[in-house]
Every structure is written in structure tokens, then in C-alpha cells.
Amino acid sequence: MSSQKLPASRFVAFVSMMGALGNVLFALSAPLLSVTGHLVGLSLDLSHIGTIIAAVFGGPTAGAIAGAIVGILPGVWFGYVVGGAGVLALLCLPLGKSLTGLTVGYLCRKLRVLERNRRSLLVAAMILLGYIPEMLFTIFYFVVLLPIFFGLPTSVAIAISIVVVAKAWAEMAIIAAFAGALVGNIGFLEFLEKHFYVRLRETAIPPKI
């Protein structure tokens, strides 16, 4: 079972669906945001589920595009609704999420984790590793870009980045566990086969007796 290139129409449908899923998940969490200052939301944001599904099953390109789509609504929210970072947030949040999709998709495809034993654990590990580039970019965004463009004090920027990154790791751990479960879910794999022509049956789904 390997992530693979999908037919063009199915690729677009798959990526669009995962991008929409991520934005819906964020929209469900946004009304619950508890805003500290103008930058930090303390709700549980699982929008990266869409990014991760696209990356694991569709590969790095699907993951990168889905991540960029998933980042649009958060970019608007933190750029214009509560954050005040404007265009900077609208550009950087999709880019950061795209980095995770690209990295997770690349790791899963390069290491062929979906074809290995204990693939659920391996997929979860790849997701956590794949978040590291976005984590570094997030720190750069808060500690470097916000002070330069908006005069945010460095001490405040560092404190916010610590909270945001710690929260993100907790969210990614939940998403990694969820994605690991999906890899072993026969119903979900059959859904991918049926609707997106992702042929996973030979290695993912045991033969019926």
C-alpha cells in the first residue's frame, strides 16, 4: 500500500476535499477560541487532519497543496479577525501548513511506510517528524517576522511562540494517533479505493474468507 499519483480529476477532487475538511475543522474550533492579547488561540485545532490524509495517501504534492488550502481560513482568522497581522498571516499560515503536508508526504513515500509492518506506528512517527519544518517556520514567524513588521517585543514574541508550538505539538500528537488508526481502517481504505482509484487492497486490506 503506497501513496501514489492519482488521475488528474481524482487528484483535484481528493486534494480539494481534504483542504475543505481542514477548513471546516478549523471553523468548528474558531468560535471556541480564547484569545490572549491578539495572537494566541487556545482552542483545539485539528485542521491538519485534512493535510495529513492528503499527504499520507496522496503524496508530497497532494499534501503541500492541501496544506496551503487548509491554511487559508486560519490565515484570515489570525490575520484579520483576531490577530491583526494582515497579509503576513494570510501568506505565512498556508505556507507553514504546506510545509507539513510536503514533508509528511515525502517521508511516507520515500520510506514506503505504508508497505511496512506496523505501518500505523510508522505513519504516526512520520507525521510528528514532518511537523518539524513548520515548527521552525512558526518560531521564525513569531520571533523574527512579527517584531520586524509589527514591532512586537522580542520577549513577548518568544513567549507566544512557546505557547503556540507546545499547543501545536499536542494537536499533532492527536492527529498522528488518528491518522495511524485510519491506516488500519478497512472501511476508510475501501472508500479511497472506490472514490479516488487509490489501489490499496493488495497490502492494506486482508482477503475475505
Side-chain angles (χ1 to χ4, degrees):
M1 180 180 65
S2 60
S3 59
Q4 56 188 276
K5 293 182 179 179
L6 308 178
S9 61
R10 300 289 174 165
F11 177 88
V12 172
F14 180 58
V15 171
S16 299
M17 181 180 292
M18 292 306 107
L21 172 64
N23 278 283
V24 168
L25 290 172
F26 179 81
L28 291 174
S29 72
L32 302 176
L33 286 175
S34 173
V35 181
T36 301
H38 295 287
L39 293 171
V40 181
L42 298 179
S43 65
L44 184 65
D45 176 14
L46 300 179
S47 61
H48 251 328
I49 286 177
T51 306
I52 295 306
I53 294 175
V56 170
F57 294 102
T61 302
I65 297 173
I69 296 172
V70 168
I72 292 174
L73 188 56
V76 172
W77 180 265
F78 291 108
Y80 295 97
V81 179
V82 299
V87 175
L88 185 65
L90 187 57
L91 292 175
C92 288
L93 268 70
L95 177 57
K97 290 182 180 292
S98 182
L99 282 173
T100 293
L102 177 67
T103 308
V104 172
Y106 174 80
L107 289 174
C108 287
R109 176 167 289 177
K110 185 69 173 178
L111 300 179
R112 305 177 74 90
V113 297
L114 296 179
E115 300 176 17
R116 300 176 182 271
N117 295 328
R118 298 183 178 178
R119 55 178 171 265
S120 292
L121 290 176
L122 289 172
V123 165
M126 293 306 101
I127 291 169
L128 295 178
L129 285 174
Y131 173 67
I132 292 175
E134 182 183 349
M135 178 197 71
L136 296 176
F137 182 75
T138 299
I139 295 171
F140 176 77
Y141 171 79
F142 281 106
V143 176
V144 177
L145 295 182
L146 287 183
I148 289 176
F149 288 98
F150 296 97
L152 186 69
T154 301
S155 59
V156 174
I158 292 173
I160 293 174
S161 68
I162 290 172
V163 173
V164 170
V165 168
K167 171 178 173 288
W169 273 114
E171 292 164 349
M172 292 307 294
I174 294 171
I175 292 170
F178 176 77
L182 281 183
V183 169
N185 186 286
I186 294 175
F188 182 73
L189 300 178
E190 288 180 335
F191 172 82
L192 291 181
E193 282 189 317
K194 179 179 179 180
H195 295 283
F196 299 106
Y197 299 157
V198 179
R199 295 178 177 85
L200 307 172
R201 185 174 297 277
E202 291 84 356
T203 55
I205 304 176
K208 295 180 180 178
I209 300 175

